Amino acid sequence: MDPWAVSTFWLLWIILLGTWVTVIEWEIDRGLLSLTDGDQGATVFLREIQDLNKHILEDCALKMVDRLADGCLDTDAQNLLSGLKGRIADTQPGVLKAHHLPWSRDLVNPKNKAHARYLKELGEQFVARANHQVLEHLREQEAGRQELAWLYQEIRHHLGLSTEATWTFCGRQELLAQLGQRLRQSDGHPHSPLVLFGPPGIGKTALMCKLAEQMPGLLGRKTVTVLRLLGMSQMSSDARGLLQSICFQVCLAYGLPLPPAQVLEAHARVVQFFHTLLHTVSCRNFESLVILLDSMDDVDSICRARRVPWLPPRCPPRIHLILSACSGKPGILDIMRQTLTDPEAYWEVKPLSGNQGQEMIQLLLAASRRTLSPGQRELLWASLPECGHPGRLRLAFEEARKWASFTIPAPLASTAKEAIHQLCARLEQTHGQLLVAHVLSYIVSSRHGLSEAELKDVLSLDDEVLEAVYQDWTPPSKELLRFPPLLWVRLRRDLGHCLARRPVDGFTLLAIAHRQLTEVIQERYLSGPERAKRHGVLADFFSGAWSQGTKKLITLPLVGKPLNLDRKVAPQPLWFSDTVANLRKLKELPHHLVHSGRFEELKQEVLGSMNWISCRGVSGGIEGLLEDFDLYGPHLDCPEVGLVRDALQLCRPALELRGMERSILYTELLARLHFFATSHPALVGQLCQQAQSWFRLCPHPVLVPLGGFLQPPGGPLRATFTGCHKGITAMGWSLEEKLLVVGTQDGLMAVWDMEEQQVIHILTGHTGEVRSVKVFGKGTLVLSASKDHTLRLWNLLSGQQKFTIWDGGSKDPTDPEIWSLHVDEAKKVVYLASGSKISAWNLETAELVFHILGDASDCWMCTAVLASRATLLTVSEGGVVSLWSSGTGKLQGRHHLSSIKEETPTCGVSVQKQGKMVTGFSKGSISLVSPGGDSLLEKLPEAVRFLVVSEDESLLAAGFGRSVRIFLADSQGFHRFMATDLEHEDTVEIAGFGPENNLIVTASRDALIQVWSLSEQGTLLDILEGVGAPVSLLAWAGALVASASQQSSSLKVWDLTYIQKPRACTPFLDRTGLTAVSHNGSYVYFPKIGDKNKVTIWDSAEGEEQDALDTSNEVRCLEVAQQANLLFTGLVSGVVLVFPLNSRQDVMCIPPPEARKAINCMALSKGEERLAIAYDSIVLVLDISPGDPCPVIDGPTYTFYTQLPEAISSVAVLADYRVIYGMTNGDLFLYECANSKVFPLEAHGSQVTCMQVSHKEQLAVSGSEEALLCLWDLQACKWRFQMSYTNSYCRGVQCVCFSKDDKYVYAGLKDRSIIVWSVLDGTLLAVQFVHAVVNRIIPTSNGFIAPTRHGYLIRERFQCPSSRVSQQDPLKNFKKAVWKVKSRQREELAAAAGALQDSRSASAQGNERKSNKRSQVCLLV
């Protein structure tokens, strides 16, 4: 028996006697002890015999213990048994069921009464335990079913509709046979999806349902069939809901893991999951999967889109996708033809024959138990000569079924449209023209349909209908007025099959069943002003204007005077409860406000209401919210609505990552829109006030933005794409088609539509990292090269792969990576160079043109295709230049580099106009290599990392170290363009020129992107924050530039035309992180861009540089004494210059203790009476005292040396001359200057990055690179709390401070978030993602100010209710985040209670690093 192979339940019954069995112990270990859920369905029955040890030695014949052959006790077996029992008790104590028996010599004798009683009790307990576990498992299964109740309801609904559709199916047998043959023929290899098309009413739905019914017979009994009649339910009317339901159904059918929550949060991830799922099912190589999607025209998002992004152009083996669509006018069929280009994929559904039409009528009559007289039958056939249109036949049947046996019917209409008009006329004659017109108009005008209760409420608000109804009699009540429900019941009966019932948002809604009937209703009843009137009544109902006792005036014909009566319609709140939203109102009200022309109400109550935005977002997700703005925003001539929409688009990545929660949505919007609150008070200003009002009532601890500090709309950030990549390794633009192609580390390629900002294709095929992509063919084709040694050509419009080329490489991962990919469209040849080989293939036939093999011991480092010279030029590692014919691959010449000695090529770029290649080398040389020779262009101080040329080849950029040098083309090659280089704070990875050569964008390892003006000789225009990882890729498309990293799954697209536009707020351009703030954030100080010997003074209110202070040396650190109005600048020379902020022309100088020792950090005491200056191993403590006209700085009063090999990384000073300093290795010390005593504190495990003292100077807090925060008691020199915060992105603590009242600690983390920590009990109170690294935090009276790497000042209020209504988990929106708090007081209490071992172990480990500390509080998300 293999106990862990049982799928969901297994019961292990083990009676541990005195015998040790190796197999049983192995099974227990594998099935119970080594699994986290091993106790699921497991029970261990243990028999314990009292006083057994006392009697073991008395009788050697006891059968209850193990003995050796000589009769002695087998102590090894006894020890193994005891060990096994102990392990079970420690690991899974809940599975043990012990039986205690008294000692008896013949205990195991079946005749012993005690033994018999024991066996009976054991059997009863076994049965009871088994029953309990079975019931528990069934209960868990039922809970799982309830979680998926929506899916089961969706499947049942479509199966029920399918059954109805096939009741009267006839004919089409030949088409069914042909489709079945096509499915069987394509089952074993990749193939195109099938599309059934035809005019409305031709019978496509019935055919699809019949095909689904026959699928097991066509492809085998194990075939899994998924059927959706699109538009017939809420989930099938939206592409996102449709894909989700299909993915869940397929996963359940094949026993695969369900889509995780993070996948469902973004449509792009759902699309990727769907494509991956199809390939996973295909690889099982067993069951076939058939997905039938009827009426693609009824999916809302598809009808409004240019493409069908989730539709796979090719289905893998054993996967079949069958679609249906209407023909006859431009629509979804034309859109699908762009993706599915195979003409054999399209199958036309033609009318039935005359005989088949008569057969269908007979089936319909039989199903309704009706017969026709011979005369009526002859008239029916005469009216339908050779009619095989099922829709028309259905209408004829509906008319004929009303005939009585004595009826002499009038001739029937000859066309479907005339028949529908005839139907409407008959209904009007029976029920009245006004009632029929209004009822059908309301159903058609609604967005998704109306429930019967809603329809009766709407009719009760329609004064025209009520006046007609009560024309001849007065209403029964004098207080309220309702539409008589009996009138609706009669009309509903006569409408019959014209109405369809669809489950939407938990309601059953009535909708018009036939598309042609909808068109006739719109033409007949909704022309002119009638359309706006119907939408107006619906808008009144869904807005709740006349609910909850609000009375409405009406003048009834028999009364003759206005009556103010209650219509008793249902109220329409936004929220029915704290968690249940009014989805019907959210989806219907905006639709009716737009079409009734009530635009001001739409602007104020919907798109300009924070309550509405949050309710719509929380209940429908960010994509549904953006869809509303896209649908209704264009109807409003209001730029403010566009600002809100753009702000929501910028919020999208955070909301998809963190989850759509109100506090996150309000924070994101407020921090982006606050910039415009003053300039746009009517809408944006009101939204900001509503958000702040919500925060004031929030019952949980929360950080409240007091100003804008996130990227605002209208800025450079166009979009952030995430969710369907691993690390990004290649990018390419299709400018003509506005597409961005992205290659990833796992071999997937995604094609993004920049207009719709969604994935339109997931290109699968590569099994290794995509190294390069080349877009060509007017933006319609892309060639990709991968580490799997294949090249693949794709059609970007259809997403189909045209061919695959294997480059002949081995599967050895140590083989050289692909170095160069070049497409020559003129010659229709693609060249691939890697290692010591070059291959060329024909782009049309994929045939090999030539293959060049070089010297494997001297690989080619750089390759260029010089089209003007029909030459391939290569430069090897040893400096050998080889020339080859680009047409034949024949060697034309070879020579050694003459201008370079003892350097290795690192990069190269071709210059086609000059017919040369610019090559960079390992020691900084740049050489211009041509077929005729080479010449030294420039000598850089460091190795050349990259070379790029502008599109017109007039400019060249060379990256080295932290700098980029620009060159201008001339007749000799290139010469230096600017006297100064463009500098970063970290190694530069990539650069790219703008389309007009007026801009250059450079990116570095510190995740910063810098935009420079070349027309202004290298002026820095802006600093952009990348994706939080080293930027390794840039791709230009006009004014758009995409940035990505190999270490991140996200990419950003920037629009650089914003530079010429006015901005709501100009950020300060600091890239060093050495930022200081004064005057409550009015001024910001940072090293000047391009000249670190100066300090820029930035006026925050004006958004411009006010002044610059000359420091004569590079600035290493900055501190501001807020009360004394002093700016301290620590320099690399060791000097500290002090600038009085009120008189900046004056300056004081504090000399270093030793010459040329750079300052590492500085700190001021909380009262600003002490200044500590820290060098590598020296600390100076100086006094600051009031003076006139500026404070006086005396000292140093104390100077001490650390006498340690590690350098000081952080320092803090107290008023009583105590100094706390942290080291680069994590050590911490408290030094009493007055007594010259040093107190070692418990060390961090990595560099101490920040240190702050509380305002009362009783506590201190330290942070380190390992994201560990320690709260210190300065009197006891011990920590009170140790807080460890880790998540999948966290890289340590950047800065920290105490609140003004010392109740909280604010910490800025390097994962671009801010946390709030309670000093009282170590509780994590709040976590906020701010999208940028915070440089420092300055406390205010109710919160803090924090400058960020984005160049904005965060101003926030921390609001913490005195009594929190519930324990809010601040990490619930942070994936894979762990918060651990270790309390010394708790440890001491535990130690006093006897838990000494754990505390000693933790203390011993803490001296090294304390990474394995026991957690008192651990919140896992």
Side-chain angles (χ1 to χ4, degrees):
M1 175 181 176
D2 190 1
W4 55 88
V6 182
S7 60
T8 57
F9 172 81
W10 58 274
L11 177 65
L12 176 64
W13 175 35
I14 302 170
I15 302 177
L16 294 177
L17 302 173
T19 304
W20 170 71
V21 181
T22 305
V23 174
I24 290 182
E25 181 171 4
W26 179 77
E27 290 183 345
I28 292 174
D29 183 70
R30 293 295 302 273
L32 180 65
L33 302 180
S34 62
L35 301 178
T36 56
D37 58 347
D39 59 336
Q40 296 294 318
T43 302
V44 176
F45 295 94
L46 182 66
R47 184 176 66 183
E48 293 286 352
I49 302 174
Q50 299 175 6
D51 300 326
L52 176 62
N53 292 333
K54 296 180 181 179
H55 302 280
I56 285 178
L57 301 177
E58 295 178 2
D59 190 348
C60 294
L62 285 176
K63 301 179 180 179
M64 289 159 289
V65 294
D66 290 318
R67 296 188 180 275
L68 300 174
D70 58 2
C72 296
L73 187 66
D74 190 344
T75 56
D76 291 339
Q78 290 292 317
N79 292 335
L80 288 170
L81 179 61
S82 299
L84 178 59
K85 292 178 182 179
R87 287 164 56 202
I88 296 174
D90 292 340
T91 307
Q92 303 286 359
V95 306
L96 283 176
K97 299 298 176 185
H99 281 265
H100 299 283
L101 301 176
W103 161 256
S104 174
R105 186 175 299 278
D106 58 348
L107 182 62
V108 295
N109 185 355
K111 297 180 181 179
N112 187 308
K113 293 182 179 180
H115 183 69
R117 187 169 56 253
Y118 155 66
L119 290 178
K120 180 181 178 182
E121 292 175 357
L122 178 62
E124 291 174 350
Q125 190 176 22
F126 174 83
V127 172
R129 184 66 179 170
N131 288 337
H132 170 76
Q133 291 185 343
V134 169
L135 292 174
E136 281 295 313
H137 183 67
L138 292 175
R139 202 171 290 118
E140 291 174 4
Q141 283 188 332
E142 183 61 30
R145 290 194 189 99
Q146 291 176 359
E147 291 178 1
L148 296 174
W150 60 269
L151 177 63
Y152 302 135
Q153 178 187 1
E154 180 80 359
I155 296 172
R156 282 196 302 268
H157 175 68
H158 290 283
L159 290 179
L161 294 175
S162 174
T163 303
E164 292 180 12
T166 55
W167 275 348
T168 56
F169 182 87
C170 62
R172 316 279 195 203
Q173 297 304 317
E174 183 180 355
L175 180 57
L176 284 172
Q178 292 174 352
L179 288 170
Q181 183 179 5
R182 172 65 183 265
L183 292 174
R184 287 190 294 270
Q185 290 175 349
S186 61
D187 193 50
H189 54 82
H191 52 274
S192 174
L194 301 182
V195 180
L196 308 183
F197 68 94
I202 200 65
K204 299 183 296 297
T205 298
L207 178 62
M208 293 282 283
C209 296
K210 193 66 176 179
L211 194 59
E213 181 184 286
Q214 295 185 357
M215 201 55 65
L218 295 174
L219 294 177
R221 294 180 59 187
K222 292 187 176 294
T223 300
V224 175
T225 304
V226 177
L227 173 66
R228 293 291 186 272
L229 307 182
L230 306 184
M232 299 304 291
S233 66
Q234 175 190 2
M235 297 204 74
S236 65
S237 301
D238 172 70
R240 183 179 180 184
L242 173 65
L243 286 188
Q244 286 185 15
S245 69
I246 292 175
C247 289
F248 271 88
Q249 184 175 349
V250 172
C251 287
L252 289 175
Y254 286 93
L256 299 172
L258 298 178
Q262 58 267 32
V263 166
L264 303 178
E265 289 168 359
H267 182 56
R269 298 175 189 154
V270 177
V271 172
Q272 182 190 11
F273 186 90
F274 175 66
H275 284 259
T276 304
L277 180 61
L278 296 184
H279 284 273
T280 301
V281 172
S282 175
C283 292
R284 292 167 67 98
N285 199 21
F286 184 53
E287 309 97 336
S288 294
L289 169 65
V290 182
I291 302 174
L292 299 103
L293 305 178
D294 176 57
S295 190
M296 293 284 286
D297 313 73
D298 290 327
V299 179
D300 295 338
S301 56
I302 296 179
C303 297
R304 298 190 299 268
R306 297 186 301 152
R307 301 179 176 90
V308 188
W310 48 268
L311 180 61
R314 302 283 290 176
C315 294
R318 290 166 298 283
I319 305 296
H320 301 276
L321 191 59
I322 306 175
L323 318 169
S324 74
C326 287
S327 61
K329 60 181 181 180
I332 186 64
L333 188 61
D334 300 299
I335 296 174
M336 287 197 296
R337 290 188 191 276
Q338 298 178 9
T339 303
L340 307 178
T341 57
D342 183 4
E344 295 184 359
Y346 295 87
W347 296 64
E348 183 178 4
V349 181
K350 298 180 180 179
L352 300 172
S353 65
N355 292 334
Q356 290 171 341
Q358 293 185 15
E359 181 186 352
M360 178 179 172
I361 291 289
Q362 295 290 358
L363 289 173
L364 288 169
L365 289 170
S368 60
R369 299 181 180 179
R370 294 301 307 270
T371 59
L372 298 177
S373 67
Q376 290 172 338
R377 189 179 299 109
E378 289 177 5
L379 176 65
L380 180 62
W381 300 148
S383 301
L384 301 171
E386 298 299 322
C387 178
H389 191 286
R392 175 69 187 93
L393 294 171
R394 166 68 75 169
L395 289 170
F397 159 73
E398 293 293 339
E399 193 68 27
R401 70 184 297 188
K402 305 292 183 184
W403 297 342
S405 60
F406 53 81
T407 301
I408 302 176
L412 299 178
S414 59
T415 66
K417 186 173 182 179
E418 291 177 359
I420 294 174
H421 278 288
Q422 193 176 58
L423 169 66
C424 292
R426 178 172 58 79
L427 292 172
E428 291 171 6
Q429 185 178 2
T430 305
H431 303 279
Q433 191 275 338
L434 186 68
L435 179 60
V436 172
H438 284 221
V439 167
L440 295 179
S441 297
Y442 286 132
I443 295 175
V444 169
S445 299
S446 61
R447 188 175 178 186
H448 298 294
L450 295 172
S451 68
E452 292 197 44
E454 290 172 344
L455 181 59
K456 288 184 282 189
D457 278 351
V458 170
L459 291 171
S460 297
L461 292 177
D462 190 332
D463 291 348
E464 294 180 38
V465 170
L466 293 177
E467 289 171 3
V469 168
Y470 293 103
Q471 185 173 3
D472 300 321
W473 57 292
T474 57
S477 172
K478 296 182 179 180
E479 298 295 330
L480 59 91
L481 185 64
R482 292 283 297 175
F483 173 78
L486 184 60
L487 299 181
W488 158 245
V489 172
R490 292 171 53 203
L491 178 57
R492 181 189 62 191
R493 179 198 61 197
D494 288 349
L495 283 170
H497 285 84
C498 296
L499 293 178
R501 286 165 172 78
R502 301 173 180 174
V504 177
D505 297 326
F507 298 87
T508 299
L509 303 186
L510 298 175
I512 301 301
H514 310 295
R515 184 178 287 104
Q516 290 172 302
L517 177 56
T518 300
E519 294 172 356
V520 169
I521 292 171
Q522 291 172 338
E523 176 187 334
R524 191 179 180 100
Y525 304 126
L526 289 172
S527 58
E530 290 300 314
R531 180 169 178 264
K533 288 181 181 180
R534 301 291 79 75
H535 283 290
V537 176
L538 287 165
D540 285 343
F541 168 69
F542 284 107
S543 66
W546 305 110
S547 63
Q548 297 187 348
T550 305
K551 297 180 179 181
K552 187 181 181 186
L553 284 171
I554 186 173
T555 302
L556 297 177
L558 293 182
V559 178
K561 63 177 182 179
L563 299 176
N564 201 15
L565 301 176
D566 185 1
R567 307 300 175 90
K568 285 294 181 183
V569 297
Q572 297 291 340
L574 271 179
W575 292 95
F576 292 125
S577 69
D578 291 340
T579 57
V580 180
N582 187 347
L583 299 179
R584 296 289 298 135
K585 177 175 183 175
L586 291 171
K587 294 180 180 179
E588 293 285 346
L589 181 58
H591 177 74
H592 301 303
L593 290 176
V594 165
H595 292 98
S596 61
R598 292 155 63 170
F599 299 124
E600 188 63 27
E601 190 175 346
L602 174 70
K603 183 172 72 173
Q604 296 297 332
E605 301 299 325
V606 178
L607 302 184
S609 168
M610 205 65 207
N611 287 334
W612 180 283
I613 289 174
S614 64
C615 185
R616 183 71 175 97
V618 171
S619 60
I622 184 63
E623 291 185 351
L625 185 55
L626 286 171
E627 180 182 322
D628 280 358
F629 273 85
D630 291 336
L631 280 176
Y632 310 121
H635 294 276
L636 302 176
D637 184 16
C638 180
E640 292 182 72
V641 173
L643 279 177
V644 178
R645 193 266 175 210
D646 292 343
L648 286 169
Q649 183 66 47
L650 294 175
C651 298
R652 182 174 183 168
L655 294 172
E656 289 180 345
L657 179 66
R658 308 295 178 195
M660 176 61 83
E661 188 185 83
R662 288 194 213 182
S663 61
I664 299 176
L665 176 62
Y666 277 64
T667 299
E668 287 275 331
L669 274 182
L670 186 55
R672 297 182 192 278
L673 291 177
H674 202 284
F675 297 107
F676 308 95
T678 304
S679 59
H680 298 78
L683 186 69
V684 175
Q686 289 296 319
L687 278 176
C688 293
Q689 290 181 13
Q690 293 168 21
Q692 290 167 341
S693 299
W694 182 87
F695 276 119
R696 281 193 290 271
L697 300 176
C698 183
H700 306 294
V702 64
L703 288 167
V704 184
L706 301 179
F709 59 81
L710 297 180
Q711 290 277 357
L717 184 59
R718 176 81 170 268
T720 301
F721 296 144
T722 187
C724 62
H725 319 297
K726 278 194 173 181
I728 298 173
T729 54
M731 288 194 301
W733 281 98
S734 168
L735 189 58
E736 297 84 353
E737 298 295 329
K738 299 177 181 178
L739 303 176
L740 177 62
V741 185
V742 176
T744 64
Q745 290 177 345
D746 56 2
L748 284 179
M749 294 174 61
V751 183
W752 288 89
D753 186 318
M754 284 307 304
E755 287 191 347
E756 299 180 9
Q757 296 192 4
Q758 64 176 346
V759 175
I760 64 166
H761 300 303
I762 299 291
L763 308 180
T764 58
H766 286 301
T767 58
E769 177 183 307
V770 179
R771 294 296 300 158
S772 179
V773 295
K774 295 291 183 182
V775 179
F776 61 100
K778 296 183 179 180
T780 62
L781 300 173
V782 64
L783 193 68
S784 60
S786 168
K787 275 188 176 182
D788 63 5
H789 297 283
T790 64
L791 279 78
R792 296 175 187 265
L793 182 64
W794 314 83
N795 185 310
L796 286 179
L797 301 183
S798 66
Q800 292 189 4
Q801 180 178 309
K802 301 192 72 173
F803 61 70
T804 302
I805 298 173
W806 180 52
D807 71 354
S810 69
K811 302 300 181 182
D812 187 354
T814 62
D815 281 359
E817 299 178 357
I818 294 171
W819 291 98
S820 176
L821 180 66
H822 179 81
V823 175
D824 189 335
E825 288 193 72
K827 296 181 179 179
K828 298 180 180 179
V829 176
V830 56
Y831 302 91
L832 176 67
S834 60
S836 59
K837 63 182 179 183
I838 301 175
S839 302
W841 294 273
N842 186 288
L843 270 176
E844 293 185 339
T845 64
E847 294 179 354
L848 183 67
V849 177
F850 61 79
H851 186 67
I852 303 172
L853 283 177
D855 185 357
S857 62
D858 189 20
C859 293
W860 293 318
M861 306 297 290
C862 307
T863 304
V865 180
L866 305 178
S868 60
R869 303 193 180 192
T871 301
L872 287 170
L873 188 151
T874 63
V875 180
S876 72
E877 187 175 4
V880 177
V881 179
S882 302
L883 304 175
W884 316 81
S885 168
S886 61
T888 63
K890 292 183 179 180
L891 182 64
Q892 295 179 338
R894 181 176 287 151
H895 64 272
H896 282 268
L897 291 169
S898 60
S899 60
I900 305 298
K901 303 296 182 184
E902 298 180 353
E903 291 190 56
T904 303
T906 55
C907 54
V909 63
S910 63
V911 184
Q912 297 294 332
K913 291 181 180 179
Q914 299 184 19
K916 300 176 182 178
M917 179 171 67
V918 183
T919 309
F921 292 86
S922 57
K923 295 183 180 179
S925 297
I926 301 178
S927 178
L928 201 59
V929 183
S930 67
D934 60 277
S935 61
L936 183 64
L937 177 64
E938 185 82 354
K939 181 70 175 180
L940 302 178
E942 297 181 60
V944 184
R945 295 186 56 82
F946 63 83
L947 293 165
V948 293
V949 295
S950 60
E951 189 175 355
D952 62 1
E953 298 184 346
S954 62
L955 292 172
L956 168 71
F960 59 100
R962 301 184 177 189
S963 304
V964 176
R965 186 167 295 180
I966 310 299
F967 300 88
L968 182 66
D970 57 24
S971 59
Q972 302 299 318
F974 290 90
H975 65 273
R976 192 165 178 177
F977 177 60
M978 298 184 303
T980 58
D981 296 327
L982 310 179
E983 294 184 356
H984 277 258
E985 291 298 309
D986 206 340
T987 302
V988 184
E989 294 283 351
I990 191 68
F993 291 99
E996 298 178 1
N997 291 346
N998 59 337
L999 298 176
I1000 183 172
V1001 176
T1002 58
S1004 58
R1005 286 183 183 173
D1006 57 6
L1008 293 182
I1009 301 167
Q1010 298 184 182
V1011 184
W1012 311 81
S1013 171
L1014 295 178
S1015 57
E1016 300 177 17
Q1017 290 293 305
T1019 301
L1020 181 63
L1021 299 177
D1022 207 346
I1023 299 177
L1024 312 175
E1025 181 83 12
V1027 291
V1031 181
S1032 53
L1033 293 169
L1034 292 174
W1036 279 87
L1040 298 180
V1041 60
S1043 63
S1045 171
Q1046 294 185 6
Q1047 300 178 23
S1048 174
S1049 62
S1050 301
L1051 66 93
K1052 290 186 176 182
V1053 178
W1054 311 88
D1055 185 353
L1056 299 187
T1057 56
Y1058 79 97
I1059 295 175
Q1060 287 79 29
K1061 301 176 183 178
R1063 303 180 66 175
C1065 177
T1066 304
F1068 55 86
L1069 300 181
D1070 172 52
R1071 61 190 183 188
T1072 63
L1074 306 177
T1075 315
V1077 178
S1078 73
H1079 298 83
N1080 197 31
S1082 297
Y1083 297 99
V1084 182
Y1085 308 88
F1086 53 89
K1088 187 176 180 65
I1089 297 296
D1091 187 358
K1092 294 183 182 179
N1093 295 346
K1094 294 182 180 179
V1095 175
T1096 296
I1097 302 176
W1098 184 266
D1099 188 327
S1100 300
E1102 299 297 328
E1104 62 183 19
E1105 180 180 334
Q1106 187 194 66
D1107 198 359
L1109 305 177
D1110 193 349
T1111 61
S1112 71
N1113 276 118
E1114 181 181 334
V1115 178
R1116 289 289 299 270
C1117 52
L1118 294 171
E1119 287 292 334
V1120 170
Q1122 305 285 346
Q1123 303 167 20
N1125 278 331
L1126 297 176
L1127 173 65
F1128 297 88
T1129 61
L1131 308 181
V1132 71
S1133 62
V1135 173
V1136 176
L1137 295 181
V1138 186
F1139 295 90
L1141 298 179
N1142 296 331
S1143 56
R1144 297 171 191 151
Q1145 67 276 9
D1146 300 325
V1147 61
M1148 293 175 280
C1149 178
I1150 302 173
E1154 298 179 9
R1156 305 303 298 177
K1157 285 286 186 179
I1159 295 176
N1160 288 349
C1161 49
M1162 296 186 296
L1164 289 162
S1165 61
K1166 290 304 174 183
E1168 296 184 355
E1169 60 271 84
R1170 308 286 178 261
L1171 170 67
I1173 304 172
Y1175 301 83
D1176 283 348
S1177 58
I1178 307 173
V1179 178
L1180 307 183
V1181 181
L1182 299 93
D1183 294 330
I1184 305 174
S1185 56
D1188 188 21
C1190 60
V1192 177
I1193 301 174
D1194 296 321
T1197 307
Y1198 294 100
T1199 301
F1200 65 89
Y1201 295 78
T1202 63
Q1203 298 180 351
L1204 295 172
E1206 293 79 15
I1208 298 174
S1209 58
S1210 185
V1211 68
V1213 61
L1214 286 75
D1216 59 2
Y1217 296 104
R1218 286 184 292 169
V1219 177
I1220 311 171
Y1221 55 95
M1223 314 299 288
T1224 53
N1225 67 342
D1227 288 340
L1228 277 169
F1229 300 91
L1230 173 65
Y1231 186 81
E1232 292 185 357
C1233 295
N1235 302 320
S1236 299
K1237 290 184 178 180
V1238 61
F1239 299 91
L1241 304 179
E1242 200 165 335
H1244 286 267
S1246 59
Q1247 177 173 322
V1248 180
T1249 56
C1250 51
M1251 178 80 65
Q1252 282 291 326
V1253 176
S1254 65
H1255 291 83
K1256 296 179 182 178
E1257 298 194 342
Q1258 297 176 355
L1259 303 171
V1261 62
S1262 60
S1264 67
E1265 289 183 341
E1266 59 191 331
L1268 179 69
L1269 285 164
C1270 292
L1271 183 68
W1272 302 92
D1273 185 331
L1274 296 181
Q1275 299 301 321
C1277 293
K1278 295 181 179 179
W1279 55 264
R1280 286 188 182 179
F1281 296 105
Q1282 286 188 337
M1283 188 279 285
S1284 173
Y1285 174 70
T1286 57
N1287 61 33
S1288 55
Y1289 310 102
C1290 193
R1291 292 181 291 274
V1293 182
Q1294 177 73 13
C1295 54
V1296 69
C1297 79
F1298 284 88
S1299 61
K1300 284 288 189 179
D1301 56 8
D1302 289 341
K1303 290 183 178 180
Y1304 313 111
V1305 170
Y1306 307 124
L1309 306 184
K1310 293 183 179 180
D1311 70 344
R1312 300 176 290 171
S1313 64
I1314 294 176
I1315 65 172
V1316 184
W1317 181 23
S1318 171
V1319 171
L1320 179 63
D1321 56 8
T1323 303
L1324 178 65
L1325 298 175
V1327 181
Q1328 186 182 79
F1329 187 68
V1330 295
H1331 297 268
V1333 176
V1334 175
N1335 298 328
R1336 70 166 62 206
I1337 302 181
I1338 302 100
T1340 60
S1341 59
N1342 59 0
F1344 58 83
I1345 299 173
T1348 74
R1349 293 282 289 273
H1350 277 170
Y1352 296 108
L1353 273 181
I1354 298 177
R1355 298 176 187 268
E1356 293 201 285
R1357 179 181 82 251
F1358 178 59
Q1359 179 178 298
C1360 186
S1362 56
S1363 58
R1364 299 193 286 275
V1365 295
S1366 64
Q1367 286 296 325
Q1368 174 88 345
D1369 180 4
L1371 292 181
K1372 67 179 182 179
N1373 299 109
F1374 285 73
K1375 306 293 187 295
K1376 300 180 181 178
V1378 179
W1379 163 272
K1380 296 180 181 179
V1381 174
K1382 183 179 179 182
S1383 168
R1384 183 175 294 277
Q1385 182 179 8
R1386 290 173 185 164
E1387 277 202 343
E1388 291 172 352
L1389 290 174
L1396 297 174
Q1397 183 176 359
D1398 286 345
S1399 60
R1400 287 172 182 168
S1401 174
S1403 176
Q1405 295 175 9
N1407 292 330
E1408 298 179 11
R1409 168 35 220 112
K1410 289 207 170 271
S1411 61
N1412 298 320
K1413 298 165 186 162
R1414 291 265 178 162
S1415 169
Q1416 301 298 323
V1417 180
C1418 183
L1419 303 180
L1420 300 176
V1421 177

